[in-house]
Amino acid sequence: MAETSPELARLEGMLLIRAYEEQLVALHRDGAPGTCTSVGQEACAVGVVQALDGRDRILTNHRSGGHLLARGADPGRLIAEVLGRVDGYCGGRSGSLHISAAELGVVLTSTIVGGELSMAPGVALAQKMGRGEPGGIVAVFFGDGAACEGVFHEALNLAVHWRLPLLFVCENNQWQAYVHRLETMSDRAISAWAEGHGLPVRVVDGNDVEAVHGAAADLVAGIRAQGGPAFLELSTYRQRGHFEPDDQAYVDPAECQAWLARDPIRRQAERLRAAGRLDAAGLAALEARVAARIAAALAFAQASPMPGPDTLDRHVYA
Amino acid sequence: MAETSPELARLEGMLLIRAYEEQLVALHRDGAPGTCTSVGQEACAVGVVQALDGRDRILTNHRSGGHLLARGADPGRLIAEVLGRVDGYCGGRSGSLHISAAELGVVLTSTIVGGELSMAPGVALAQKMGRGEPGGIVAVFFGDGAACEGVFHEALNLAVHWRLPLLFVCENNQWQAYVHRLETMSDRAISAWAEGHGLPVRVVDGNDVEAVHGAAADLVAGIRAQGGPAFLELSTYRQRGHFEPDDQAYVDPAECQAWLARDPIRRQAERLRAAGRLDAAGLAALEARVAARIAAALAFAQASPMPGPDTLDRHVYA
Amino acid sequence: MSTMTLEQAVQLALREEMGRDASVLYMGEGVATKHADMVADFGADRVRNTPLAEAIIAGTAVGAAASGLRPVIDLLFAPFMTYAMDALVNSAGKLRYLSGGQFSFPLVALGMTGAGWGVGGQHNHNLEAMFVHAPGLKVVMPATPADARGLLKAAIRDANPVLFFLDIGLLHQPGPVPDAVDQVLPLGEAAVPRSGRDVTLVSYGKTVAVCLEAAAGLQADGIDAEVVDLRTLKPLDEAAVLRSLAKTGRLVVVQEASGLCGVAAEIAALAAGRGFPFLQAPVARLTGPDAPAPGNWALEQAMVPSAQRVMEQVRALVGTPALAA
Amino acid sequence: MSTMTLEQAVQLALREEMGRDASVLYMGEGVATKHADMVADFGADRVRNTPLAEAIIAGTAVGAAASGLRPVIDLLFAPFMTYAMDALVNSAGKLRYLSGGQFSFPLVALGMTGAGWGVGGQHNHNLEAMFVHAPGLKVVMPATPADARGLLKAAIRDANPVLFFLDIGLLHQPGPVPDAVDQVLPLGEAAVPRSGRDVTLVSYGKTVAVCLEAAAGLQADGIDAEVVDLRTLKPLDEAAVLRSLAKTGRLVVVQEASGLCGVAAEIAALAAGRGFPFLQAPVARLTGPDAPAPGNWALEQAMVPSAQRVMEQVRALVGTPALAA
Ligand SMILES: Cc1ncc(C[n+]2csc(CCOP(=O)(O)OP(=O)(O)O)c2C)c(N)n1
Ligand SMILES: Cc1ncc(C[n+]2csc(CCOP(=O)(O)OP(=O)(O)O)c2C)c(N)n1
Ligand SMILES: [Mg+2]
Ligand SMILES: [Mg+2]
């Protein structure tokens, strides 16, 4: 399998996220801190992030592993951060829930639901006012739950009215921690709310990485050309529950099964196989490469020391 | 002029509000505290409040004079409150900005923009759960500015999703203190935002008291019949500026002139005159009656004592 | 006597009060999911999952409380209360006053806080002092399952808005709880879980146990420490603190929250004022640092004053020559 | 020296800093309307009216501050900051720490507070202590036009988020302001507008003048009071307070904010701790009541500690026999 292509790269990107998060789950079973995994949502991360370029900035939230890896984060430094080690992106201070990596343009990650929406217009304003790299835009990832917070409304209105270069990416994974989103909003709510703000809105199958990528690329091109914001709602599913461990006893098994059958990684692999661009050996090779990276990452992270308690009040003030 | 009719009563109701607020303006010129008048918006208050009945509850904000008077508040107790006297509805503690009168069902007035929207679903929930009078609904008055606050979005979503008996009444008076609303939102924003929530929405000329009343009555009937909320946007204008005194130097005179020409009181008077139901003498009689009430109210209020400083920490805790 | 965790005690109190008073309502992000049994017993009307929107959860509670209901809202983690701050501080705390006493707001807002989960300062922030500072609110933070039950029952029955903080580090610790159904503990009364003559240790939440451990350790040095558990942070049981101080003449105030303008500052200020005649040594405060909580578990634990530090502090104080002696 | 009001001094500082540094941005509900001259001078990009939405004003400032701008946001009245609390406390205050120092947040949030307008507790609420308690934030509250100018300039240049409170009662009072353009007053330094030997009066904001008036009145009784104006509430100039206390041995802390967990409690706690060796009498706090501000003008004025009360308090203290004497 010598072929490389964007489609294959997207498959590999998704495999990496899956392997990384499965590693975190295994670590958790051995006593490491829990995490919010994005298993099942890999197409959202990969599809959108690959539609951005180096000038752009990303804001994310508690479920950030996919976004960071898709942006090129080092899985070793990510695992180190989850484990609270000094080589983590945040020196072990964040743990899993607010990992940002300024060097990658993944900034200001917040685990306050809606926090990313609150800060994103300011990052976009700075881009617009020439403080970022020329032509850069901002993408903000948030969940269906975050769309219930008032700051969703405030951020959309400000972005539209100030014509900020901001792509809103709602990963509608059907769940808001332990509450199904249909217990908190109507089925078409999120895109309908966005439409009320009068910006371009697309709703896309979030488990189809090519569809996600295509829509994101269109919207990003529109933002760069016209300046104002755009909105992308991705229908997807949180396969593993909210936060490790989660037995998902509260989840309707039929709903879960239906979504498992639409797994984004299998789908992309089948698409490539059907097109004659991937065979079993090729897939196995990709998986092996990814597994090796994660194994090396784990070793790196586990070798990294814990920060000392004497560092407790470092970095409070600038 | 022996005729009495709802239309005439609405005219008289608007005249009373106008006379009351002009009295406050005069008092302010003599050194009394300032107020947010609703001069120019009287049709909103009278049209909506007359569509409610005694079982219903009302929440309002800093610009509440019209709502309170339309609900039957005693102008003497209102002026007393503005002047900080013990006979005010709130014993002089509120002053002009948060006057509520539980005995009239005007509850929980807040001068925090959006405060009324934050509390209204709870009042409606209590009604729905049988804590109010059977069949009662709730009306919440707020401005175009309040629609920018996140709690607007949260309140709409909750009311829709919980099917609360709540009439949202947005008095879109074009201004948000010293900022024109088109500096903060697009022209069709408010109703478009509401529509995104999937509840019945009507946009009505807020300077036509009969149109307001008709729309409010329809929506109230719908709420009583179906249970869920409804939304009424009233296009109107704040003739006197934000808070006394306000020279309105920042206002476009052409815009202001155009709206003054559409004064809701003159309009209702002309409508009745055209229909042969009011003549100059009749109007003068109404004005005289209203003036007499306000004069008596002023005398009452000015005779009311100030609360003593020993009462400073009364009513903090129940 | 039964044995249960603080979390279980909270649920027990809620169930008891919901059974007793049909106007009690329980709302929050996931409460109906997590407590399907309560939905079954009290109905979906009274046990409600909400949208993910703290401002409207709190605002709705305020409106409902003024209209004949008694809402208990679960705001999950204390830092999320910042979204609910307007409803709690400006509405619930002020509208009784500004309306001249027309309304009351019998509501309880629950929030978890404190070290014990290791997920960082956006989940663990001991910000209870912010609400102590705000007028019109009461604030409770129990240290034992029995107190959690008794105080929550009192909070639900109280006519005022009560912020009720649950220390994450205590949630799963078992403790004895009396079986009597109506074990209501009045708000505003401190407890003295250990009496002593030489020094007063004042605390609340999980650091009460730290003080008790320190007191046990100090025994070996021949130092007899009294431990005062504030339990309610507002209204503060000032008399209990002064009573203890009158006896011991020495005071160490211990809290996990950061120091500046915290509850420990209030207690120390009380001692410096009305307690001054009793003071034989400086008042010491042991508090968390002026820093957010880190995600790293060990660092998070290091934020909490330890029994070791309390003991050292006490030894230093007792060594201080009594100025008045 | 020019004479200007505190409000004018704030505008002057803003203009100076905007002229000096193109990354300074001024945003808020109506700032462009009220300061059309600044729009003319600095452009509509840098002087912006915002939607009526404090949460996103503050959040936008946080995002912009981390991205190379220096926003100054006008949140109008302090109680409106409750809507901005998440952005200020959870984002600006914590994300530097939680990111391991990757970001800094050079922003200033302005809010008016204090008696002087008579429109009630939803406009006047001295809640500065809430922000003093929160990690990662700095807090300033000047008492004179000159200090307002110098401190605001320092706040704008500071790399941290600064809450900057303007006392409504001082806004329109004129005072001398030095003409030098670069009169920057470092954050964290108290002033001693009056020195004395017998008692220390610590305060900030409008009650500094109350203390000065009381000090003048006490002169007649032969009591020589020193007045310390904190100016910055965080970082607190503890050394200045202790220095004065070392000299006088007696302390009265005066603030308009309510007492519980306020800045006066922190100062009193400092005195009870490191200041204890100096204390010759109880530390007295004179604060506003634990009540929202009423709309009634006279009642609102009555919330503010008066010079009369300060004098009575001082006389009582000086009458207290020095325990150490
Ligand atoms: C303000 C706030 N409220 C509640 C939480 C607890 N919480 C963390 S994630 C989550 C669900 C978020 O749902 P959604 O936005 O759909 O994102 P998802 O977890 O599904 O990716 C909740 C309730 C929080 N972190 N912040
Ligand atoms: C949270 C909050 N922000 C700002 C203000 C100051 N303020 C009072 S009224 C007002 C304008 C409100 O506009 P709108 O909602 O349209 O009502 P209107 O005054 O036009 O009736 C503003 C900004 C406030 N009282 N509360
Ligand atoms: Mg979700
Ligand atoms: Mg308006």
Side-chain angles (χ1 to χ4, degrees), chain A residues 312-317, chain C residues 257-260 287-293 303, chain D residues 93 97 131-137 234-235:
Chain A
L312 196 55
D313 53 12
R314 200 177 293 166
H315 296 313
V316 183
Y317 296 93
Chain C
S258 62
L260 290 166
T287 73
D290 178 34
M303 291 191 81
Chain D
Y97 187 82
F131 295 102
V132 174
H133 189 58
L137 305 177
K234 186 175 186 178

PDB file of all heavy atoms in Angstrom, chain A residues 312-317, chain C residues 257-260 287-293 303, chain D residues 93 97 131-137 234-235:
ATOM      1  N   LEU A 312       2.769  24.432  42.961  1.00  0.00           N
ATOM      2  CA  LEU A 312       1.318  24.579  43.084  1.00  0.00           C
ATOM      3  C   LEU A 312       0.812  25.954  42.698  1.00  0.00           C
ATOM      4  O   LEU A 312      -0.237  26.084  42.076  1.00  0.00           O
ATOM      5  CB  LEU A 312       0.927  24.270  44.534  1.00  0.00           C
ATOM      6  CG  LEU A 312      -0.533  23.995  44.812  1.00  0.00           C
ATOM      7  CD1 LEU A 312      -1.044  22.875  43.935  1.00  0.00           C
ATOM      8  CD2 LEU A 312      -0.706  23.631  46.277  1.00  0.00           C
ATOM      9  N   ASP A 313       1.520  26.999  43.083  1.00  0.00           N
ATOM     10  CA  ASP A 313       0.981  28.310  42.730  1.00  0.00           C
ATOM     11  C   ASP A 313       1.780  29.002  41.625  1.00  0.00           C
ATOM     12  O   ASP A 313       1.761  30.221  41.502  1.00  0.00           O
ATOM     13  CB  ASP A 313       0.808  29.192  43.969  1.00  0.00           C
ATOM     14  CG  ASP A 313       2.065  29.294  44.782  1.00  0.00           C
ATOM     15  OD1 ASP A 313       3.129  28.872  44.281  1.00  0.00           O
ATOM     16  OD2 ASP A 313       1.988  29.786  45.915  1.00  0.00           O
ATOM     17  N   ARG A 314       2.410  28.211  40.795  1.00  0.00           N
ATOM     18  CA  ARG A 314       3.079  28.778  39.631  1.00  0.00           C
ATOM     19  C   ARG A 314       2.047  28.995  38.510  1.00  0.00           C
ATOM     20  O   ARG A 314       1.130  28.214  38.373  1.00  0.00           O
ATOM     21  CB  ARG A 314       4.178  27.817  39.155  1.00  0.00           C
ATOM     22  CG  ARG A 314       5.233  28.499  38.291  1.00  0.00           C
ATOM     23  CD  ARG A 314       6.338  27.543  37.896  1.00  0.00           C
ATOM     24  NE  ARG A 314       7.155  27.114  39.033  1.00  0.00           N
ATOM     25  CZ  ARG A 314       7.999  26.082  38.997  1.00  0.00           C
ATOM     26  NH1 ARG A 314       8.123  25.359  37.892  1.00  0.00           N
ATOM     27  NH2 ARG A 314       8.713  25.767  40.061  1.00  0.00           N
ATOM     28  N   HIS A 315       2.213  30.048  37.744  1.00  0.00           N
ATOM     29  CA  HIS A 315       1.347  30.342  36.589  1.00  0.00           C
ATOM     30  C   HIS A 315      -0.037  30.831  36.972  1.00  0.00           C
ATOM     31  O   HIS A 315      -0.966  30.725  36.167  1.00  0.00           O
ATOM     32  CB  HIS A 315       1.184  29.118  35.670  1.00  0.00           C
ATOM     33  CG  HIS A 315       2.444  28.658  35.030  1.00  0.00           C
ATOM     34  ND1 HIS A 315       3.317  29.517  34.413  1.00  0.00           N
ATOM     35  CD2 HIS A 315       2.976  27.419  34.920  1.00  0.00           C
ATOM     36  CE1 HIS A 315       4.346  28.813  33.940  1.00  0.00           C
ATOM     37  NE2 HIS A 315       4.169  27.551  34.246  1.00  0.00           N
ATOM     38  N   VAL A 316      -0.211  31.316  38.205  1.00  0.00           N
ATOM     39  CA  VAL A 316      -1.503  31.931  38.526  1.00  0.00           C
ATOM     40  C   VAL A 316      -1.551  33.328  37.927  1.00  0.00           C
ATOM     41  O   VAL A 316      -2.529  33.713  37.287  1.00  0.00           O
ATOM     42  CB  VAL A 316      -1.720  31.988  40.052  1.00  0.00           C
ATOM     43  CG1 VAL A 316      -3.097  32.569  40.340  1.00  0.00           C
ATOM     44  CG2 VAL A 316      -1.562  30.608  40.677  1.00  0.00           C
ATOM     45  N   TYR A 317      -0.476  34.073  38.133  1.00  0.00           N
ATOM     46  CA  TYR A 317      -0.397  35.440  37.603  1.00  0.00           C
ATOM     47  C   TYR A 317       0.736  35.535  36.589  1.00  0.00           C
ATOM     48  O   TYR A 317       1.726  34.810  36.686  1.00  0.00           O
ATOM     49  CB  TYR A 317      -0.161  36.445  38.744  1.00  0.00           C
ATOM     50  CG  TYR A 317      -1.325  36.458  39.707  1.00  0.00           C
ATOM     51  CD1 TYR A 317      -1.327  35.644  40.839  1.00  0.00           C
ATOM     52  CD2 TYR A 317      -2.450  37.248  39.457  1.00  0.00           C
ATOM     53  CE1 TYR A 317      -2.402  35.627  41.709  1.00  0.00           C
ATOM     54  CE2 TYR A 317      -3.536  37.226  40.326  1.00  0.00           C
ATOM     55  CZ  TYR A 317      -3.506  36.412  41.446  1.00  0.00           C
ATOM     56  OH  TYR A 317      -4.587  36.389  42.282  1.00  0.00           O
TER      57      TYR A 317
ATOM     58  N   ALA C 257     -10.665  26.611  50.938  1.00  0.00           N
ATOM     59  CA  ALA C 257     -10.791  27.745  50.028  1.00  0.00           C
ATOM     60  C   ALA C 257      -9.569  28.638  50.132  1.00  0.00           C
ATOM     61  O   ALA C 257      -8.876  28.653  51.146  1.00  0.00           O
ATOM     62  CB  ALA C 257     -12.041  28.557  50.370  1.00  0.00           C
ATOM     63  N   SER C 258      -9.342  29.431  49.090  1.00  0.00           N
ATOM     64  CA  SER C 258      -8.219  30.351  49.150  1.00  0.00           C
ATOM     65  C   SER C 258      -8.493  31.409  50.211  1.00  0.00           C
ATOM     66  O   SER C 258      -9.638  31.620  50.626  1.00  0.00           O
ATOM     67  CB  SER C 258      -7.968  30.973  47.783  1.00  0.00           C
ATOM     68  OG  SER C 258      -9.076  31.725  47.373  1.00  0.00           O
ATOM     69  N   GLY C 259      -7.440  32.084  50.628  1.00  0.00           N
ATOM     70  CA  GLY C 259      -7.535  32.876  51.841  1.00  0.00           C
ATOM     71  C   GLY C 259      -8.233  34.215  51.724  1.00  0.00           C
ATOM     72  O   GLY C 259      -9.125  34.519  52.511  1.00  0.00           O
ATOM     73  N   LEU C 260      -7.867  34.999  50.735  1.00  0.00           N
ATOM     74  CA  LEU C 260      -8.304  36.394  50.687  1.00  0.00           C
ATOM     75  C   LEU C 260      -9.818  36.509  50.708  1.00  0.00           C
ATOM     76  O   LEU C 260     -10.508  35.968  49.843  1.00  0.00           O
ATOM     77  CB  LEU C 260      -7.766  37.057  49.417  1.00  0.00           C
ATOM     78  CG  LEU C 260      -6.259  37.302  49.372  1.00  0.00           C
ATOM     79  CD1 LEU C 260      -5.827  37.640  47.946  1.00  0.00           C
ATOM     80  CD2 LEU C 260      -5.872  38.413  50.334  1.00  0.00           C
ATOM     81  N   THR C 287      -5.070  28.111  54.843  1.00  0.00           N
ATOM     82  CA  THR C 287      -6.045  28.067  53.757  1.00  0.00           C
ATOM     83  C   THR C 287      -5.406  27.469  52.511  1.00  0.00           C
ATOM     84  O   THR C 287      -4.193  27.294  52.450  1.00  0.00           O
ATOM     85  CB  THR C 287      -6.527  29.490  53.398  1.00  0.00           C
ATOM     86  OG1 THR C 287      -5.474  30.171  52.702  1.00  0.00           O
ATOM     87  CG2 THR C 287      -6.918  30.290  54.630  1.00  0.00           C
ATOM     88  N   GLY C 288      -6.232  27.193  51.538  1.00  0.00           N
ATOM     89  CA  GLY C 288      -5.710  26.847  50.229  1.00  0.00           C
ATOM     90  C   GLY C 288      -4.996  28.054  49.642  1.00  0.00           C
ATOM     91  O   GLY C 288      -5.193  29.182  50.090  1.00  0.00           O
ATOM     92  N   PRO C 289      -4.148  27.838  48.628  1.00  0.00           N
ATOM     93  CA  PRO C 289      -3.418  28.945  48.021  1.00  0.00           C
ATOM     94  C   PRO C 289      -4.328  29.791  47.131  1.00  0.00           C
ATOM     95  O   PRO C 289      -5.428  29.367  46.761  1.00  0.00           O
ATOM     96  CB  PRO C 289      -2.358  28.243  47.171  1.00  0.00           C
ATOM     97  CG  PRO C 289      -2.943  26.918  46.843  1.00  0.00           C
ATOM     98  CD  PRO C 289      -3.831  26.536  48.009  1.00  0.00           C
ATOM     99  N   ASP C 290      -3.857  30.966  46.805  1.00  0.00           N
ATOM    100  CA  ASP C 290      -4.558  31.845  45.862  1.00  0.00           C
ATOM    101  C   ASP C 290      -4.274  31.337  44.445  1.00  0.00           C
ATOM    102  O   ASP C 290      -3.538  31.963  43.675  1.00  0.00           O
ATOM    103  CB  ASP C 290      -4.053  33.283  46.056  1.00  0.00           C
ATOM    104  CG  ASP C 290      -4.699  34.254  45.087  1.00  0.00           C
ATOM    105  OD1 ASP C 290      -5.875  34.066  44.746  1.00  0.00           O
ATOM    106  OD2 ASP C 290      -4.004  35.209  44.665  1.00  0.00           O
ATOM    107  N   ALA C 291      -4.826  30.193  44.138  1.00  0.00           N
ATOM    108  CA  ALA C 291      -4.553  29.540  42.853  1.00  0.00           C
ATOM    109  C   ALA C 291      -5.754  28.665  42.505  1.00  0.00           C
ATOM    110  O   ALA C 291      -6.423  28.150  43.398  1.00  0.00           O
ATOM    111  CB  ALA C 291      -3.304  28.665  42.963  1.00  0.00           C
ATOM    112  N   PRO C 292      -6.024  28.500  41.235  1.00  0.00           N
ATOM    113  CA  PRO C 292      -7.065  27.536  40.852  1.00  0.00           C
ATOM    114  C   PRO C 292      -6.604  26.130  41.223  1.00  0.00           C
ATOM    115  O   PRO C 292      -5.417  25.879  41.417  1.00  0.00           O
ATOM    116  CB  PRO C 292      -7.147  27.684  39.326  1.00  0.00           C
ATOM    117  CG  PRO C 292      -6.463  28.974  39.007  1.00  0.00           C
ATOM    118  CD  PRO C 292      -5.408  29.148  40.064  1.00  0.00           C
ATOM    119  N   ALA C 293      -7.542  25.213  41.313  1.00  0.00           N
ATOM    120  CA  ALA C 293      -7.176  23.827  41.587  1.00  0.00           C
ATOM    121  C   ALA C 293      -6.601  23.201  40.324  1.00  0.00           C
ATOM    122  O   ALA C 293      -7.184  23.318  39.244  1.00  0.00           O
ATOM    123  CB  ALA C 293      -8.403  23.051  42.041  1.00  0.00           C
ATOM    124  N   MET C 303      -3.283  21.107  47.880  1.00  0.00           N
ATOM    125  CA  MET C 303      -3.923  22.398  48.154  1.00  0.00           C
ATOM    126  C   MET C 303      -4.637  22.406  49.497  1.00  0.00           C
ATOM    127  O   MET C 303      -4.941  23.471  50.037  1.00  0.00           O
ATOM    128  CB  MET C 303      -4.951  22.707  47.078  1.00  0.00           C
ATOM    129  CG  MET C 303      -4.340  22.992  45.742  1.00  0.00           C
ATOM    130  SD  MET C 303      -5.578  23.642  44.612  1.00  0.00           S
ATOM    131  CE  MET C 303      -5.645  25.370  45.087  1.00  0.00           C
TER     132      MET C 303
ATOM    133  N   GLY D  93      -9.554  34.060  34.991  1.00  0.00           N
ATOM    134  CA  GLY D  93      -8.839  33.794  36.240  1.00  0.00           C
ATOM    135  C   GLY D  93      -8.126  32.455  36.273  1.00  0.00           C
ATOM    136  O   GLY D  93      -7.177  32.281  37.040  1.00  0.00           O
ATOM    137  N   TYR D  97      -3.495  29.349  34.421  1.00  0.00           N
ATOM    138  CA  TYR D  97      -3.008  28.291  35.295  1.00  0.00           C
ATOM    139  C   TYR D  97      -3.240  26.911  34.688  1.00  0.00           C
ATOM    140  O   TYR D  97      -2.324  26.083  34.594  1.00  0.00           O
ATOM    141  CB  TYR D  97      -3.742  28.408  36.626  1.00  0.00           C
ATOM    142  CG  TYR D  97      -3.249  27.485  37.702  1.00  0.00           C
ATOM    143  CD1 TYR D  97      -2.132  27.811  38.454  1.00  0.00           C
ATOM    144  CD2 TYR D  97      -3.911  26.295  37.986  1.00  0.00           C
ATOM    145  CE1 TYR D  97      -1.685  26.987  39.461  1.00  0.00           C
ATOM    146  CE2 TYR D  97      -3.468  25.459  39.000  1.00  0.00           C
ATOM    147  CZ  TYR D  97      -2.356  25.800  39.729  1.00  0.00           C
ATOM    148  OH  TYR D  97      -1.911  24.976  40.730  1.00  0.00           O
ATOM    149  N   PHE D 131     -14.300  39.189  43.760  1.00  0.00           N
ATOM    150  CA  PHE D 131     -13.199  39.050  42.806  1.00  0.00           C
ATOM    151  C   PHE D 131     -11.854  38.992  43.517  1.00  0.00           C
ATOM    152  O   PHE D 131     -10.916  38.388  43.018  1.00  0.00           O
ATOM    153  CB  PHE D 131     -13.258  40.175  41.775  1.00  0.00           C
ATOM    154  CG  PHE D 131     -14.486  40.114  40.914  1.00  0.00           C
ATOM    155  CD1 PHE D 131     -15.569  40.949  41.139  1.00  0.00           C
ATOM    156  CD2 PHE D 131     -14.578  39.178  39.896  1.00  0.00           C
ATOM    157  CE1 PHE D 131     -16.707  40.873  40.355  1.00  0.00           C
ATOM    158  CE2 PHE D 131     -15.718  39.095  39.095  1.00  0.00           C
ATOM    159  CZ  PHE D 131     -16.793  39.941  39.328  1.00  0.00           C
ATOM    160  N   VAL D 132     -11.773  39.632  44.670  1.00  0.00           N
ATOM    161  CA  VAL D 132     -10.540  39.505  45.456  1.00  0.00           C
ATOM    162  C   VAL D 132     -10.353  38.036  45.853  1.00  0.00           C
ATOM    163  O   VAL D 132      -9.240  37.510  45.847  1.00  0.00           O
ATOM    164  CB  VAL D 132     -10.602  40.410  46.708  1.00  0.00           C
ATOM    165  CG1 VAL D 132      -9.384  40.176  47.598  1.00  0.00           C
ATOM    166  CG2 VAL D 132     -10.693  41.879  46.308  1.00  0.00           C
ATOM    167  N   HIS D 133     -11.458  37.388  46.152  1.00  0.00           N
ATOM    168  CA  HIS D 133     -11.397  35.980  46.571  1.00  0.00           C
ATOM    169  C   HIS D 133     -11.014  35.043  45.424  1.00  0.00           C
ATOM    170  O   HIS D 133     -10.490  33.953  45.656  1.00  0.00           O
ATOM    171  CB  HIS D 133     -12.764  35.582  47.135  1.00  0.00           C
ATOM    172  CG  HIS D 133     -12.791  34.238  47.790  1.00  0.00           C
ATOM    173  ND1 HIS D 133     -11.990  33.903  48.845  1.00  0.00           N
ATOM    174  CD2 HIS D 133     -13.524  33.131  47.523  1.00  0.00           C
ATOM    175  CE1 HIS D 133     -12.228  32.654  49.215  1.00  0.00           C
ATOM    176  NE2 HIS D 133     -13.148  32.165  48.425  1.00  0.00           N
ATOM    177  N   ALA D 134     -11.289  35.443  44.192  1.00  0.00           N
ATOM    178  CA  ALA D 134     -11.071  34.559  43.041  1.00  0.00           C
ATOM    179  C   ALA D 134      -9.609  34.601  42.595  1.00  0.00           C
ATOM    180  O   ALA D 134      -9.040  35.680  42.449  1.00  0.00           O
ATOM    181  CB  ALA D 134     -11.979  34.972  41.895  1.00  0.00           C
ATOM    182  N   PRO D 135      -8.993  33.452  42.360  1.00  0.00           N
ATOM    183  CA  PRO D 135      -7.592  33.447  41.954  1.00  0.00           C
ATOM    184  C   PRO D 135      -7.400  33.979  40.536  1.00  0.00           C
ATOM    185  O   PRO D 135      -8.288  33.887  39.698  1.00  0.00           O
ATOM    186  CB  PRO D 135      -7.216  31.959  42.007  1.00  0.00           C
ATOM    187  CG  PRO D 135      -8.501  31.214  41.886  1.00  0.00           C
ATOM    188  CD  PRO D 135      -9.562  32.101  42.490  1.00  0.00           C
ATOM    189  N   GLY D 136      -6.234  34.542  40.305  1.00  0.00           N
ATOM    190  CA  GLY D 136      -5.865  34.946  38.947  1.00  0.00           C
ATOM    191  C   GLY D 136      -6.309  36.332  38.556  1.00  0.00           C
ATOM    192  O   GLY D 136      -5.970  36.795  37.468  1.00  0.00           O
ATOM    193  N   LEU D 137      -7.076  36.989  39.400  1.00  0.00           N
ATOM    194  CA  LEU D 137      -7.587  38.320  39.076  1.00  0.00           C
ATOM    195  C   LEU D 137      -6.921  39.367  39.969  1.00  0.00           C
ATOM    196  O   LEU D 137      -6.547  39.070  41.097  1.00  0.00           O
ATOM    197  CB  LEU D 137      -9.100  38.378  39.307  1.00  0.00           C
ATOM    198  CG  LEU D 137      -9.939  37.327  38.589  1.00  0.00           C
ATOM    199  CD1 LEU D 137     -11.411  37.468  38.970  1.00  0.00           C
ATOM    200  CD2 LEU D 137      -9.768  37.448  37.082  1.00  0.00           C
ATOM    201  N   LYS D 234      -6.315  43.832  45.373  1.00  0.00           N
ATOM    202  CA  LYS D 234      -5.560  42.619  45.116  1.00  0.00           C
ATOM    203  C   LYS D 234      -4.603  42.895  43.975  1.00  0.00           C
ATOM    204  O   LYS D 234      -5.075  43.256  42.907  1.00  0.00           O
ATOM    205  CB  LYS D 234      -6.499  41.479  44.739  1.00  0.00           C
ATOM    206  CG  LYS D 234      -5.792  40.140  44.591  1.00  0.00           C
ATOM    207  CD  LYS D 234      -6.800  39.063  44.342  1.00  0.00           C
ATOM    208  CE  LYS D 234      -6.134  37.706  44.341  1.00  0.00           C
ATOM    209  NZ  LYS D 234      -7.117  36.649  44.140  1.00  0.00           N
ATOM    210  N   PRO D 235      -3.317  42.756  44.137  1.00  0.00           N
ATOM    211  CA  PRO D 235      -2.649  42.393  45.388  1.00  0.00           C
ATOM    212  C   PRO D 235      -2.781  43.475  46.449  1.00  0.00           C
ATOM    213  O   PRO D 235      -2.683  44.668  46.130  1.00  0.00           O
ATOM    214  CB  PRO D 235      -1.188  42.221  44.960  1.00  0.00           C
ATOM    215  CG  PRO D 235      -1.052  42.962  43.672  1.00  0.00           C
ATOM    216  CD  PRO D 235      -2.382  42.945  43.016  1.00  0.00           C
TER     217      PRO D 235
END
